Amino acid sequence: MPNPIGIGQVGIGYWGKNLLRNFQALPDAEVVMACDQNADVLDRVARQYPTLATTSRYEDLLESAAVDAVVIATETPQHFAMAEQALGAGKHVFVEKPMAQTVQEAERLVALAEDHDRRLMVGHLLLYHPAFRYVENLIRDGTLGDVHYLYSMRVNLGIIRQRENALESLAPHDLSIALQFIDAAPVAVSAQGQAYLQPDVEDVAFATVYFDDGALAHLHTSWLDPHKIRKVTVVGSQQMAVIDDVASNEKVRLYDKGVDVQPGEMRYADYAEAMTVRTGDIHIPRIDMQEPLRVECQHFLDCIRSGTTPRSDGRNGLAVVKLLDAAQRSLARNGSTVELA
Amino acid sequence: MPNPIGIGQVGIGYWGKNLLRNFQALPDAEVVMACDQNADVLDRVARQYPTLATTSRYEDLLESAAVDAVVIATETPQHFAMAEQALGAGKHVFVEKPMAQTVQEAERLVALAEDHDRRLMVGHLLLYHPAFRYVENLIRDGTLGDVHYLYSMRVNLGIIRQRENALESLAPHDLSIALQFIDAAPVAVSAQGQAYLQPDVEDVAFATVYFDDGALAHLHTSWLDPHKIRKVTVVGSQQMAVIDDVASNEKVRLYDKGVDVQPGEMRYADYAEAMTVRTGDIHIPRIDMQEPLRVECQHFLDCIRSGTTPRSDGRNGLAVVKLLDAAQRSLARNGSTVELA
Amino acid sequence: MPNPIGIGQVGIGYWGKNLLRNFQALPDAEVVMACDQNADVLDRVARQYPTLATTSRYEDLLESAAVDAVVIATETPQHFAMAEQALGAGKHVFVEKPMAQTVQEAERLVALAEDHDRRLMVGHLLLYHPAFRYVENLIRDGTLGDVHYLYSMRVNLGIIRQRENALESLAPHDLSIALQFIDAAPVAVSAQGQAYLQPDVEDVAFATVYFDDGALAHLHTSWLDPHKIRKVTVVGSQQMAVIDDVASNEKVRLYDKGVDVQPGEMRYADYAEAMTVRTGDIHIPRIDMQEPLRVECQHFLDCIRSGTTPRSDGRNGLAVVKLLDAAQRSLARNGSTVELA
Amino acid sequence: MPNPIGIGQVGIGYWGKNLLRNFQALPDAEVVMACDQNADVLDRVARQYPTLATTSRYEDLLESAAVDAVVIATETPQHFAMAEQALGAGKHVFVEKPMAQTVQEAERLVALAEDHDRRLMVGHLLLYHPAFRYVENLIRDGTLGDVHYLYSMRVNLGIIRQRENALESLAPHDLSIALQFIDAAPVAVSAQGQAYLQPDVEDVAFATVYFDDGALAHLHTSWLDPHKIRKVTVVGSQQMAVIDDVASNEKVRLYDKGVDVQPGEMRYADYAEAMTVRTGDIHIPRIDMQEPLRVECQHFLDCIRSGTTPRSDGRNGLAVVKLLDAAQRSLARNGSTVELA
């Protein structure tokens, strides 16, 4: 068995802790250094993982020969600069989503990763989530028919950011899924939202992505909501699927529902006379759940070993950043639609 | 006790049946004539209500001296012309929503009703719904605090129209509620949607209404969806309310939830450090349910008797048509925001 | 087409109204006379059904040549005497459940019906309920495997009787289902309960029926409960089924769950090591719902026409009365088990 | 600060792991030794807690001067003997529920603890559960009125035992709650059940406990059920409470429901005429959840420090064993009621 892959992680906060725990637990990796600006955080990490070196200097990570790959779990505004440095230092990079704040930055990272032949992977967690994988397979094998549209709700009375709005903070998950589930090119984005708690930081935002085949993806994101909902609904021409990620079980529901149109029979009356609705059974498949984060971390290690391209590679991260960037511009223009280049 | 008010109804279809049943059952009204283009429908009505005159000529209704008020439950494109004729003939008018298809038409009806001093009422049913009335009172008395925003879902695999899209067919309900719940002036509308089953008839549509105080109302309408949802969520600064109209009971939930902002304490960290979240009890009030349609019909009769202005009068109907018209124009412009005059 | 069957109904109360409405609506029947002790009730019926004769004398029903069949929807204590008279007068009889209060009475009615060759049917509504029929078929065709046991909850803050306790009032439904679902002979009954609102009238009661193949049926009945639940769970060796009759849809759920025992592998440890649990998909079949009461009434008419034996005939009613009688005796003996003859 | 209390734990299996983790995490305790028959288990513990001594000899625990208190998390049949030895060795004892398998054994342990003046505590976890504490307080302060009856469901397709049946394995939780919530003396128990997977080991069992004030407690336990339910419903004369321990939040619901009896008004009719039903609001209190097991472990330490009697002391454990013993005898007698001495 080869030496474990040396991991250096920067950012050990709310989410970073989970990444650290998972990489630490994987036999194929060894977390050798942890970096954070918060001394208390470093102390806690040192106590919990005695074998781990800690530092407040990011450079230490980059300079350490024991570090093969850098895991970046800092705040969004720092993602680009840190990933750029790490790739420049010849490290493989796992960066949390969104990969960067501008399209140019994201393109730069993709180019850097190719120039240095390093793996660049973005933390689009849902691409590693068994329930989403299950539905993705049903789309691939045609069970759902054509994907007409999908919509997601990601709302909660939860973590309120200051350096990014609800859309930046929550939408990347659903945008990565939309790009995965809809086999077409996005052409435009329209987003609406409002800031209530802090000036210019939208607490609630809605976004619609138009695809060139007529498909739509609609996102509803908010950290100021009474519910706790993380749900995606996919409307296909043959079947419809709902993924409820808050449900402790029964996360996926398949509806054998659809509408068969017979234009010839149309009359100015209600549905029953005009078309044939198909309302069939509902199926709740048993899905073997694994912790998506564990799968994601292992995938990063596997790609480094094999040199293969991650499911959520830089190009995938770039595509999400493009949509996010267009959505932000639409927000800034009071919701007017923004065409994608 | 005075003579009952003579009702003549045109359109006895899917929804018209319910209106007819309710007016028939109210002691203060007598439905004297029913008009429909469908002979089978007229036969069925005649059998069910032997005392009722039936006709396929709308003029018969207008010419009948026994008809004090005309109830219009035909398809949307006919609303304006029929209401115009009825008001011109000196009848009081109850017209189903939307009141008309253009702002000009709606304004014309409002003017006509004033010129002839007739009651003009629009079938904005939710304004007569006990659960919505309950929440409206909580907003009026300040319990919810400032209404930041609200959003509605009105989706189903249900009745598919041909002469109107999902937005026209379903949104008037929620637009009338948004205007009632948000004490501010709407300034712009942005709408996104797509047609899958029929050319140019959107099966799914999303609309966002901007108000001049910063409030938002977001609507999600679809007749091509696996769920059956009719739900409105109101996010206030003090409390949040959810009205679930599909629930057989427990239709209203009040969440003692909110966020108290202390900008001074802000740090670049997660919510807990930045602000104080308030997550309190949930309250499910007992609400005495009456059939909203019954309340609505009685209200129309009361307004005719007393000469008072209906809750959902022509001006209210006009306001909804203005929003609907702006939303349709936004849809036609690929979702770009449309300012209201 | 033959003349409609003449129906005379006695008891037009809370439930009787529904029976009357359904028989009235069936083309194959004509309700010719309604009998009730309450004058207000008779007035209301007369207004609603002008063609109907009304009387407070039960004898009028029995003496009327136009009455082919008598429908008995009075309180339980009157069921036996009225059914006995009606059969004696040569009428077919539909009697609400429970058919009688003692085994002797029930046996007498069965014998009478045979002597006079009249149809005797008991209102065991669930035997005509599409959701229960659906699960019954799955049991018949072996899909569920052996039925190990079933349990029902029938609780509500609802109608409180004075002449019968919660068990008599609510249990007949579930007892008739237990006898239908479990293909074995009941051998003993044990019942526990308590009276809180009225002396000696149990508001809550639990009953367990033992079958000779080892199967169990457990009933939980109460009219003093915060929930509104009408639910039956069937645990089979291959699959498990849940019928939720309060759900507006999704009334049946099939669980592909079970336990495969390998005694050889047993260790003193937890389940995983000891046996193999099978936790598979959940299936929610689409069931075409018809009003069970409509189906039940039509079935009574069909049996009269064809001379065939009703699904819920006198013997079925007798079997339920035997269980109910044993349960009552167990209640009276502080829950000690009562063997069936 | 005093020295931490030295803990020696025997049984580090499915549940024991959780106890070990919690005692380990509490500053006031130090787990000094772990004992288990399974070598793999001991290895795993040794790796996870390097400072911990491990042994397969229970005597080592008893002989260790560093062990102040013994935590017993072995299988039920071993509880008594191990607790007896530990108390005899002058150790404080925490023993998992049920404390013993016979009344005599339980009484012996209570006596021993008193003779040696040691703390004896039983793992009746729900007595330390915030949601149950919340409802207990509502009962104490009279909010619920008189507790008429309560019933619990504890079912799952879960861990199947071989040395104890579903009742022994699951009922102690609910019996301890019944004794806590109902302020009266239990007088009799009746239990029904059946063994399907293993001979003479009941997979499903129902038990009813009669109290001398007329209150009832009904338990439904099963490890062969499609649902996963852990729910207790308390019916009081003033209000009703439901505790749903599977719900991730909203664990407690209070129903302002009840029945006011006016015997004078009674008629032989339905509820509305006979009595006054009170159906009011539903309240879902916010409850600060702490891990019940953590609270329980801390309580054991506090009682050792202060010499006070644990909430779930030996007498409480004995009372539960008495009910369990009576229930088992009732099961063995085909459900006939067993009087308590």
Side-chain angles (χ1 to χ4, degrees):
Chain A
M1 158 153 181
N3 293 339
I5 294 168
I7 301 286
Q9 179 171 331
V10 58
I12 321 292
Y14 169 77
W15 181 247
K17 287 198 305 291
N18 301 325
L19 275 163
L20 183 58
R21 171 174 51 80
N22 274 279
F23 277 114
Q24 188 71 14
L26 288 171
D28 197 21
E30 181 182 356
V31 184
V32 292
M33 197 180 291
C35 174
D36 199 282
Q37 294 309 310
N38 183 327
D40 304 348
V41 166
L42 288 184
D43 291 347
R44 201 188 58 232
V45 170
R47 275 197 311 280
Q48 197 171 1
Y49 306 101
T51 66
L52 200 61
T54 60
T55 177
S56 62
R57 289 183 64 258
Y58 183 48
E59 293 68 20
D60 296 344
L61 232 67
L62 304 181
E63 292 158 4
S64 162
V67 172
D68 304 304
V70 173
V71 172
I72 302 170
T74 53
E75 291 222 320
T76 298
Q78 301 164 275
H79 288 176
F80 167 68
M82 287 181 156
E84 185 183 35
Q85 285 174 270
L87 289 167
K91 312 292 190 185
H92 300 287
V93 169
F94 175 99
V95 58
E96 261 313 322
K97 47 92 212 158
M99 171 192 193
Q101 284 184 298
T102 72
V103 175
Q104 295 68 16
E105 291 172 348
E107 286 169 338
R108 165 97 174 116
L109 294 181
V110 171
L112 263 177
E114 281 171 8
D115 298 346
H116 295 71
D117 187 21
R118 301 285 85 181
R119 304 285 80 66
L120 171 60
M121 177 163 154
V122 186
H124 291 156
L125 188 62
L126 297 189
L127 300 189
Y128 304 93
H129 189 302
F132 286 86
R133 295 300 302 268
Y134 184 93
V135 171
E136 182 183 351
N137 292 335
L138 293 180
I139 293 170
R140 294 268 171 281
D141 70 18
T143 303
L144 262 56
D146 304 327
V147 173
H148 283 331
Y149 70 99
L150 63 82
Y151 61 92
S152 68
M153 281 188 82
R154 192 167 299 275
V155 303
N156 197 358
L157 187 59
I159 295 173
I160 298 178
R161 304 290 185 187
Q162 294 179 276
R163 301 298 188 81
E164 54 185 345
N165 61 24
L167 196 69
E168 269 178 292
S169 175
L170 302 170
H173 288 302
D174 304 301
L175 292 172
S176 67
I177 283 301
L179 290 169
Q180 201 74 15
F181 282 10
I182 298 174
D183 185 21
V187 291
V189 180
S190 164
Q192 298 78 33
Q194 195 58 271
Y196 298 107
L197 301 176
Q198 311 168 73
D200 304 324
V201 181
E202 284 80 3
D203 306 295
V204 56
F206 307 92
T208 305
V209 182
Y210 296 84
F211 290 81
D212 62 4
D213 68 345
L216 284 186
H218 182 268
L219 283 63
H220 175 177
T221 61
S222 174
W223 54 44
L224 185 60
D225 194 283
H227 309 94
K228 181 182 180 179
I229 302 176
R230 294 198 302 264
K231 200 168 169 182
V232 174
T233 301
V234 185
V235 174
S237 57
Q238 295 306 314
Q239 291 202 32
M240 306 181 184
V242 178
I243 307 164
D244 180 350
D245 197 13
V246 169
S248 49
N249 41 29
E250 303 190 16
K251 283 181 180 285
V252 173
R253 277 185 157 231
L254 298 174
Y255 295 80
D256 179 16
K257 284 186 170 187
V259 177
D260 305 326
V261 186
Q262 296 99 359
E265 298 182 10
M266 295 271 194
R267 263 191 253 93
Y268 314 144
D270 71 28
Y271 181 85
E273 301 174 46
M275 311 184 200
T276 308
V277 67
R278 190 169 20 82
T279 310
D281 297 356
I282 299 171
H283 190 67
I284 300 173
R286 174 168 190 269
I287 293 174
D288 290 307
M289 277 305 297
Q290 307 161 267
E291 186 182 2
L293 187 51
R294 178 68 53 103
V295 179
E296 184 182 56
C297 294
Q298 183 62 59
H299 181 71
F300 180 53
L301 300 176
D302 295 343
C303 291
I304 290 173
R305 286 271 183 232
S306 61
T308 50
T309 304
R311 241 173 104 68
S312 55
D313 70 339
R315 300 196 168 285
N316 178 254
L318 169 60
V320 168
V321 169
K322 281 180 176 171
L323 295 181
L324 208 49
D325 171 79
Q328 297 283 42
R329 282 185 284 135
S330 176
L331 266 183
R333 297 195 214 153
N334 301 317
S336 283
T337 304
V338 169
E339 309 283 335
L340 291 165
Chain B
M1 155 156 184
N3 293 340
I5 293 167
I7 301 286
Q9 180 173 328
V10 57
I12 321 293
Y14 170 76
W15 181 247
K17 285 197 307 289
N18 301 325
L19 274 162
L20 183 58
R21 172 175 51 79
N22 273 278
F23 276 115
Q24 189 71 15
L26 288 170
D28 197 22
E30 182 183 354
V31 184
V32 292
M33 197 181 292
C35 174
D36 199 283
Q37 294 311 308
N38 183 327
D40 304 347
V41 166
L42 288 184
D43 292 348
R44 200 188 58 231
V45 170
R47 275 198 311 279
Q48 198 171 358
Y49 306 101
T51 67
L52 199 61
T54 61
T55 177
S56 63
R57 288 183 65 257
Y58 183 48
E59 293 69 20
D60 296 346
L61 231 69
L62 303 181
E63 292 158 5
S64 163
V67 171
D68 305 304
V70 173
V71 172
I72 301 169
T74 52
E75 291 220 320
T76 298
Q78 300 165 277
H79 288 175
F80 166 67
M82 286 181 156
E84 184 183 35
Q85 284 175 271
L87 289 166
K91 312 292 190 186
H92 300 287
V93 169
F94 175 100
V95 57
E96 261 314 320
K97 47 95 216 159
M99 170 193 195
Q101 284 184 296
T102 71
V103 175
Q104 295 68 17
E105 291 173 349
E107 286 169 336
R108 165 98 176 115
L109 294 181
V110 171
L112 263 178
E114 281 171 6
D115 299 346
H116 295 72
D117 187 22
R118 302 285 86 179
R119 305 285 79 68
L120 170 61
M121 176 162 156
V122 186
H124 292 155
L125 188 62
L126 297 188
L127 299 189
Y128 304 93
H129 189 302
F132 286 86
R133 295 300 301 268
Y134 184 93
V135 172
E136 182 182 349
N137 292 334
L138 293 179
I139 293 171
R140 294 267 172 280
D141 69 19
T143 304
L144 261 57
D146 304 328
V147 174
H148 285 329
Y149 70 99
L150 65 82
Y151 60 92
S152 67
M153 280 189 81
R154 192 165 299 274
V155 304
N156 196 359
L157 186 61
I159 296 173
I160 298 177
R161 304 291 185 186
Q162 293 179 276
R163 301 299 186 80
E164 53 184 347
N165 61 24
L167 197 69
E168 270 179 290
S169 176
L170 302 169
H173 288 302
D174 304 300
L175 292 172
S176 67
I177 284 301
L179 291 168
Q180 201 74 16
F181 282 11
I182 298 174
D183 186 20
V187 290
V189 180
S190 166
Q192 298 77 33
Q194 195 58 270
Y196 299 106
L197 301 176
Q198 310 168 75
D200 305 322
V201 182
E202 284 79 4
D203 305 294
V204 57
F206 307 92
T208 305
V209 181
Y210 296 84
F211 290 81
D212 62 6
D213 68 345
L216 284 186
H218 181 268
L219 283 63
H220 176 177
T221 61
S222 174
W223 55 43
L224 184 61
D225 194 284
H227 309 94
K228 181 182 179 179
I229 302 176
R230 294 198 302 263
K231 200 168 170 182
V232 174
T233 301
V234 184
V235 174
S237 58
Q238 295 306 314
Q239 291 201 32
M240 306 182 185
V242 177
I243 307 165
D244 181 350
D245 198 13
V246 168
S248 49
N249 41 29
E250 302 189 17
K251 283 179 182 284
V252 173
R253 276 183 158 233
L254 298 174
Y255 295 81
D256 179 15
K257 286 186 169 186
V259 178
D260 305 327
V261 187
Q262 296 101 358
E265 298 182 11
M266 293 272 193
R267 262 191 255 92
Y268 315 144
D270 71 27
Y271 181 85
E273 301 174 46
M275 310 185 201
T276 309
V277 68
R278 190 167 21 80
T279 309
D281 297 357
I282 299 170
H283 190 68
I284 300 173
R286 175 169 190 269
I287 294 175
D288 290 308
M289 278 305 297
Q290 305 162 268
E291 187 182 2
L293 187 51
R294 179 67 53 101
V295 178
E296 183 181 56
C297 294
Q298 184 61 59
H299 181 71
F300 180 52
L301 300 175
D302 296 342
C303 290
I304 290 173
R305 287 273 182 229
S306 61
T308 51
T309 304
R311 243 173 101 69
S312 56
D313 70 338
R315 299 193 170 285
N316 178 256
L318 169 61
V320 168
V321 169
K322 281 180 176 170
L323 295 180
L324 208 49
D325 170 79
Q328 296 283 42
R329 282 186 283 134
S330 176
L331 265 183
R333 298 199 214 149
N334 301 318
S336 285
T337 304
V338 169
E339 308 282 335
L340 291 165
Chain C
M1 157 152 184
N3 293 340
I5 294 167
I7 301 287
Q9 180 172 330
V10 57
I12 321 291
Y14 170 77
W15 181 246
K17 285 196 307 290
N18 301 325
L19 275 163
L20 183 58
R21 171 174 52 79
N22 273 278
F23 276 115
Q24 189 72 14
L26 288 170
D28 196 21
E30 181 183 355
V31 184
V32 292
M33 198 181 291
C35 174
D36 199 283
Q37 294 310 308
N38 182 327
D40 304 347
V41 166
L42 288 184
D43 292 347
R44 199 189 60 233
V45 170
R47 274 199 312 280
Q48 198 172 357
Y49 307 100
T51 68
L52 201 60
T54 61
T55 177
S56 63
R57 290 183 62 258
Y58 183 50
E59 293 69 19
D60 296 346
L61 232 68
L62 304 180
E63 291 157 5
S64 163
V67 172
D68 305 305
V70 172
V71 173
I72 301 170
T74 52
E75 291 223 318
T76 298
Q78 300 164 277
H79 288 175
F80 167 67
M82 287 181 156
E84 183 182 36
Q85 285 175 271
L87 289 167
K91 312 292 190 185
H92 301 288
V93 169
F94 175 100
V95 58
E96 261 313 321
K97 47 96 215 156
M99 171 192 192
Q101 285 184 298
T102 71
V103 175
Q104 295 67 20
E105 290 173 350
E107 286 169 335
R108 165 95 174 116
L109 294 181
V110 171
L112 263 177
E114 280 170 6
D115 298 346
H116 294 72
D117 187 22
R118 302 285 86 181
R119 306 284 79 69
L120 170 60
M121 176 164 156
V122 186
H124 292 155
L125 189 62
L126 297 188
L127 299 190
Y128 305 92
H129 189 302
F132 287 86
R133 295 301 301 270
Y134 184 92
V135 172
E136 183 183 349
N137 292 334
L138 294 179
I139 294 171
R140 294 268 171 281
D141 70 18
T143 303
L144 262 57
D146 303 329
V147 174
H148 284 330
Y149 70 99
L150 65 81
Y151 61 92
S152 68
M153 281 188 81
R154 192 166 300 274
V155 304
N156 196 358
L157 186 60
I159 295 173
I160 299 178
R161 304 291 184 185
Q162 294 180 275
R163 301 297 187 81
E164 53 185 346
N165 60 24
L167 196 68
E168 270 178 289
S169 177
L170 301 169
H173 287 303
D174 304 300
L175 292 172
S176 67
I177 284 300
L179 290 169
Q180 202 74 16
F181 282 11
I182 297 174
D183 186 20
V187 290
V189 180
S190 164
Q192 298 77 32
Q194 195 58 269
Y196 299 106
L197 301 176
Q198 311 167 74
D200 305 323
V201 182
E202 284 80 4
D203 305 294
V204 56
F206 306 91
T208 304
V209 182
Y210 296 84
F211 290 81
D212 61 6
D213 67 345
L216 284 187
H218 181 268
L219 283 62
H220 175 177
T221 61
S222 175
W223 54 43
L224 184 62
D225 194 283
H227 309 93
K228 181 183 180 180
I229 301 176
R230 295 200 301 263
K231 200 169 170 181
V232 175
T233 300
V234 185
V235 174
S237 57
Q238 294 307 314
Q239 290 201 33
M240 306 182 184
V242 178
I243 306 165
D244 181 350
D245 198 12
V246 169
S248 50
N249 41 28
E250 302 189 15
K251 283 179 182 284
V252 173
R253 277 184 156 233
L254 298 174
Y255 295 80
D256 179 15
K257 286 186 169 187
V259 177
D260 305 326
V261 187
Q262 297 99 357
E265 298 182 10
M266 293 273 194
R267 264 191 254 90
Y268 314 143
D270 71 28
Y271 181 86
E273 302 174 47
M275 311 184 201
T276 308
V277 68
R278 191 168 20 80
T279 310
D281 297 356
I282 299 170
H283 190 68
I284 301 173
R286 174 169 190 268
I287 294 173
D288 291 307
M289 278 304 297
Q290 305 161 269
E291 186 182 2
L293 187 51
R294 179 67 54 100
V295 178
E296 182 181 58
C297 294
Q298 183 62 59
H299 181 72
F300 180 51
L301 301 176
D302 296 342
C303 291
I304 290 173
R305 287 274 182 226
S306 60
T308 51
T309 305
R311 243 173 102 69
S312 55
D313 70 338
R315 298 194 170 286
N316 177 255
L318 169 60
V320 168
V321 169
K322 282 180 176 170
L323 295 180
L324 208 49
D325 171 79
Q328 297 284 41
R329 282 186 283 136
S330 176
L331 265 183
R333 296 199 213 149
N334 301 319
S336 285
T337 305
V338 170
E339 308 283 334
L340 291 165
Chain D
M1 156 158 181
N3 293 339
I5 294 167
I7 301 287
Q9 179 172 330
V10 59
I12 321 292
Y14 169 78
W15 180 248
K17 286 197 307 289
N18 301 325
L19 274 163
L20 182 58
R21 170 174 52 80
N22 273 279
F23 276 114
Q24 188 72 15
L26 287 170
D28 197 22
E30 181 183 355
V31 184
V32 292
M33 198 181 291
C35 173
D36 199 281
Q37 295 310 308
N38 183 327
D40 303 347
V41 166
L42 288 184
D43 292 347
R44 200 189 58 233
V45 170
R47 274 198 313 278
Q48 198 172 359
Y49 307 100
T51 67
L52 202 61
T54 61
T55 177
S56 61
R57 288 183 64 259
Y58 182 49
E59 294 67 21
D60 295 344
L61 232 68
L62 303 180
E63 293 159 3
S64 163
V67 172
D68 305 303
V70 172
V71 173
I72 301 169
T74 52
E75 291 223 319
T76 298
Q78 301 164 275
H79 288 176
F80 167 68
M82 286 180 156
E84 184 183 35
Q85 285 175 269
L87 289 167
K91 310 294 189 185
H92 301 286
V93 169
F94 175 99
V95 58
E96 261 313 320
K97 46 94 212 158
M99 169 191 193
Q101 284 185 299
T102 72
V103 175
Q104 294 68 18
E105 291 172 348
E107 285 169 336
R108 166 94 174 115
L109 294 181
V110 170
L112 261 178
E114 281 171 5
D115 298 346
H116 294 71
D117 186 22
R118 301 285 85 180
R119 305 285 79 68
L120 170 60
M121 176 163 155
V122 185
H124 292 154
L125 189 62
L126 297 188
L127 299 189
Y128 305 93
H129 189 303
F132 286 86
R133 295 299 303 267
Y134 184 94
V135 172
E136 182 182 350
N137 291 335
L138 293 180
I139 293 170
R140 295 268 173 280
D141 70 18
T143 303
L144 261 55
D146 304 327
V147 174
H148 284 330
Y149 70 99
L150 65 81
Y151 61 92
S152 68
M153 280 187 82
R154 192 166 300 274
V155 304
N156 196 359
L157 186 58
I159 296 173
I160 299 179
R161 304 291 185 186
Q162 294 179 276
R163 300 299 189 79
E164 55 186 346
N165 62 23
L167 197 68
E168 270 179 290
S169 175
L170 302 169
H173 287 302
D174 304 300
L175 292 173
S176 67
I177 283 300
L179 290 169
Q180 200 75 16
F181 282 9
I182 297 174
D183 185 20
V187 290
V189 180
S190 164
Q192 299 76 34
Q194 194 59 268
Y196 298 108
L197 301 175
Q198 310 168 75
D200 304 323
V201 181
E202 284 80 3
D203 306 294
V204 56
F206 307 91
T208 304
V209 182
Y210 297 84
F211 290 80
D212 63 4
D213 68 346
L216 285 186
H218 182 269
L219 283 64
H220 175 176
T221 61
S222 175
W223 55 43
L224 185 60
D225 194 283
H227 309 93
K228 181 182 180 179
I229 301 176
R230 296 199 301 263
K231 200 169 169 181
V232 175
T233 301
V234 185
V235 174
S237 58
Q238 295 306 313
Q239 290 202 32
M240 306 182 185
V242 178
I243 306 165
D244 180 351
D245 198 13
V246 168
S248 50
N249 43 26
E250 302 188 16
K251 283 179 181 286
V252 173
R253 279 185 155 230
L254 298 174
Y255 295 79
D256 179 15
K257 285 185 170 187
V259 177
D260 305 326
V261 187
Q262 296 100 358
E265 297 183 12
M266 294 271 195
R267 263 192 255 91
Y268 314 145
D270 71 28
Y271 181 85
E273 302 174 46
M275 312 185 199
T276 308
V277 67
R278 190 167 22 79
T279 311
D281 296 357
I282 300 170
H283 190 67
I284 301 172
R286 173 166 192 270
I287 294 173
D288 290 307
M289 278 305 297
Q290 307 161 267
E291 186 181 2
L293 186 51
R294 179 68 53 100
V295 178
E296 185 181 56
C297 294
Q298 183 62 59
H299 182 72
F300 181 52
L301 300 176
D302 295 344
C303 291
I304 290 171
R305 286 272 183 229
S306 61
T308 50
T309 304
R311 242 173 103 68
S312 55
D313 71 338
R315 299 193 171 286
N316 178 256
L318 168 61
V320 169
V321 169
K322 281 180 176 170
L323 295 181
L324 208 50
D325 170 80
Q328 296 283 42
R329 282 185 285 134
S330 177
L331 266 183
R333 297 198 211 148
N334 300 317
S336 282
T337 304
V338 169
E339 308 285 334
L340 290 165

